[in-house]
Amino acid sequence: MKQKAFLGPIGDDLPSLIPLMFALIIFFSGFYMAMSTYNERGEDFDNDLAVTQISNALRGTGFISGVDDFDNLCSSLNIQNPKYFAALTKLSLNPAIITDVDIFALNIYPENEEEKFICTNFEENFEEEFTKEKVLENNYKIVYRIYPVVLDVDFVVTPMQLVVIAWR
Amino acid sequence: MEMNKGQAAITDALYFLLIVMGLVVFLFFFTNQYGSSMKDYMASTYVSDYANSALKTILYSSAPRLPNETIDEAKEIEFLMTMVKEDYAIDNEDEGEELDLDFSKPLLTNNVIQIMKPLSKSFNYIFYMINVGSAQKVIYVLAHVTEYDYEIENRVITGISSIDKNYLCELTDGKQDIDVFALSVGASGQATHRIRMLEIYKPPGSNFYELRKLDADTIVGLILWTPKDFDREADEWGNLECTDISEI
């Protein structure tokens, strides 16, 4: 009678292994979930911080006096990751013109000239490589921000939009 | 002792499971909360940065001298704020005359609306220019507000539609009205700047009039908040004495 509960080493330990294994599975799944969320959000913050850093550098005082001034502000940036692309687009003050920004079809200022207001660490052709299809295909995480700035164009202080896009 | 051997092992395992579940619940809440304050901070930084940039853009930008011209085709161009200051000085020349900024008001309204457009779908805002001298003269106030319309059937909300409206406001008690309103809606970001308006005066012994800076500052400000429905009958909104631009 005294030995009724004793079923042997395996008989005794096997039932306890079930909650033990269950606990370990729960623990490692929870740990994996926590780590992946942590990494995912960390990447989001890196993109956010990069966009903030780029926009702060490029906005300067909020007054851009020309391409040289913009290039100088751009050269102060030293960001390798994430990839970014920043440009000036014209902000129309005509209410009849819709000025919604489409990041996949930016009208970079000045439209018909070669020397454009662009700042990027992306070596490939932005318009060809940064398309909706490629973004979906590569599952890029994109952060973009728009800021109003003023640009001195031949002594006319014109409102513009600074568009900053970062992705990884 | 041997009789309890099996029970002890399974109880230990159950305790272990309990501790692990506690840990996992903690991890779950931690990861759920992780970064949310950082995310909120980044969003509020963006709104404040945008407000600052927008204010600078409004204050620095040029505008055509003649009405109905665009900046690209204008024959004569002037700083928008210079035109506002000139209008203010002219309106103040005759005491008792209404401060209506005849010429510059439509330009200023258009500039503010267009510059704020990228954020106007997700944020409401109020732009104001108030002289903070003893009289607290309200120079210009523009409010962009989302209005909600509820479809209700049998006491159940079946649909919500919203429309964005722009208002020009008069204010009952000056800047205090804006502060009270901003408090009631919960400002997400704001920016202010001080400028000096002008007045027309005739120097002693001179036959000509000149413009000079006023002694008191004018506060130019921009407050943004997340669109929300609020009581239109309440004093916070009523004291702003706003008129829909489309009705002016």
Side-chain angles (χ1 to χ4, degrees), chain B residues 132-145:
Chain B
V132 287
S134 52
Q136 282 238 351
K137 209 164 192 174
V138 178
I139 300 167
Y140 178 86
V141 180
L142 171 79
H144 172 88
V145 177

Side-chain angles (χ1 to χ4, degrees), chain B residues 170-230:
Chain B
E170 303 284 335
L171 310 188
T172 314
D173 296 319
K175 191 171 178 306
Q176 192 189 329
D177 290 330
I178 290 180
D179 294 339
V180 170
F181 180 71
L183 208 64
S184 73
V185 291
S188 311
Q190 53 185 312
T192 53
H193 196 85
R194 279 172 186 264
I195 59 169
R196 285 276 172 97
M197 299 309 274
L198 302 173
E199 65 177 349
I200 296 172
Y201 91 115
K202 195 176 179 183
S206 169
N207 292 326
F208 300 102
Y209 287 93
E210 288 180 14
L211 287 169
R212 71 175 173 195
K213 282 183 179 174
L214 284 178
D215 290 334
D217 281 345
T218 292
I219 294 183
V220 186
L222 187 61
I223 299 172
L224 292 103
W225 68 93
T226 321
K228 60 179 73 169
D229 204 6
F230 56 85

Side-chain angles (χ1 to χ4, degrees), chain B residues 17-232:
Chain B
L17 178 64
L18 203 70
I19 291 163
V20 163
M21 281 177 90
L23 265 175
V24 170
V25 168
F26 169 77
L27 261 179
F28 180 77
F29 281 109
F30 174 76
T31 46
N32 228 14
Q33 287 299 309
Y34 173 72
S36 59
S37 57
M38 178 78 169
K39 214 170 185 178
D40 292 345
Y41 172 75
M42 297 300 289
S44 74
T45 307
Y46 175 53
V47 176
S48 294
D49 283 352
Y50 193 96
N52 267 308
S53 289
L55 206 55
K56 280 180 185 170
T57 308
I58 295 162
L59 291 172
Y60 294 162
S61 59
S62 305
R65 264 280 180 203
L66 298 172
N68 305 324
E69 273 190 341
T70 63
I71 201 164
D72 296 322
E73 61 189 27
K75 290 181 185 73
E76 197 182 338
I77 279 172
E78 185 55 273
F79 285 109
L80 177 62
M81 273 303 128
T82 306
M83 288 195 271
V84 172
K85 287 177 183 181
E86 283 172 3
D87 268 6
Y88 179 84
I90 292 164
D91 285 349
N92 268 334
E93 196 185 4
D94 299 319
E95 271 187 33
E97 192 181 311
E98 207 176 315
L99 182 66
D100 48 17
L101 305 176
D102 270 339
F103 180 68
S104 55
K105 193 181 255 181
L107 285 171
L108 182 58
T109 305
N110 184 47
N111 266 31
V112 175
I113 291 172
Q114 291 299 108
I115 287 165
M116 293 304 294
K117 220 170 193 175
L119 244 62
S120 62
K121 289 273 179 234
S122 32
F123 286 94
N124 285 173
Y125 59 86
I126 195 161
F127 172 83
Y128 59 89
M129 292 177 74
I130 297 169
N131 191 308
V132 287
S134 52
Q136 282 238 351
K137 209 164 192 174
V138 178
I139 300 167
Y140 178 86
V141 180
L142 171 79
H144 172 88
V145 177
T146 306
E147 289 189 4
Y148 295 91
D149 192 24
Y150 299 95
E151 288 167 32
I152 299 171
E153 275 178 37
N154 301 325
R155 295 182 185 177
V156 176
I157 298 172
T158 53
I160 305 171
S161 58
S162 66
I163 183 167
D164 289 343
K165 286 188 175 176
N166 294 307
Y167 294 93
L168 287 175
C169 310
E170 303 284 335
L171 310 188
T172 314
D173 296 319
K175 191 171 178 306
Q176 192 189 329
D177 290 330
I178 290 180
D179 294 339
V180 170
F181 180 71
L183 208 64
S184 73
V185 291
S188 311
Q190 53 185 312
T192 53
H193 196 85
R194 279 172 186 264
I195 59 169
R196 285 276 172 97
M197 299 309 274
L198 302 173
E199 65 177 349
I200 296 172
Y201 91 115
K202 195 176 179 183
S206 169
N207 292 326
F208 300 102
Y209 287 93
E210 288 180 14
L211 287 169
R212 71 175 173 195
K213 282 183 179 174
L214 284 178
D215 290 334
D217 281 345
T218 292
I219 294 183
V220 186
L222 187 61
I223 299 172
L224 292 103
W225 68 93
T226 321
K228 60 179 73 169
D229 204 6
F230 56 85
D231 185 5
R232 308 272 150 180

Side-chain angles (χ1 to χ4, degrees), chain A residues 5 12 16 23 26-27 34 38 41 45 48 52 59 61 90-95 145-150 157 161, chain B residues 3 9 13 17 20 24 31-32 34-35 42 46 49-50 53-54 56-57 60 62 72 79 110-111 114-115 118:
Chain A
D12 267 359
S16 66
I26 288 178
F27 178 75
Y38 179 85
R41 293 203 182 155
F45 295 147
D48 274 335
T52 308
R59 279 184 302 139
T61 58
K90 195 156 188 187
L91 172 71
S92 174
L93 293 176
N94 184 352
R145 301 252 196 277
I146 303 163
Y147 297 90
V149 288
V150 279
V157 184
Q161 285 177 323
Chain B
M3 200 167 72
L17 178 64
V20 163
V24 170
T31 46
N32 228 14
Y34 173 72
M42 297 300 289
Y46 175 53
D49 283 352
Y50 193 96
S53 289
K56 280 180 185 170
T57 308
Y60 294 162
S62 305
D72 296 322
F79 285 109
N110 184 47
N111 266 31
Q114 291 299 108
I115 287 165

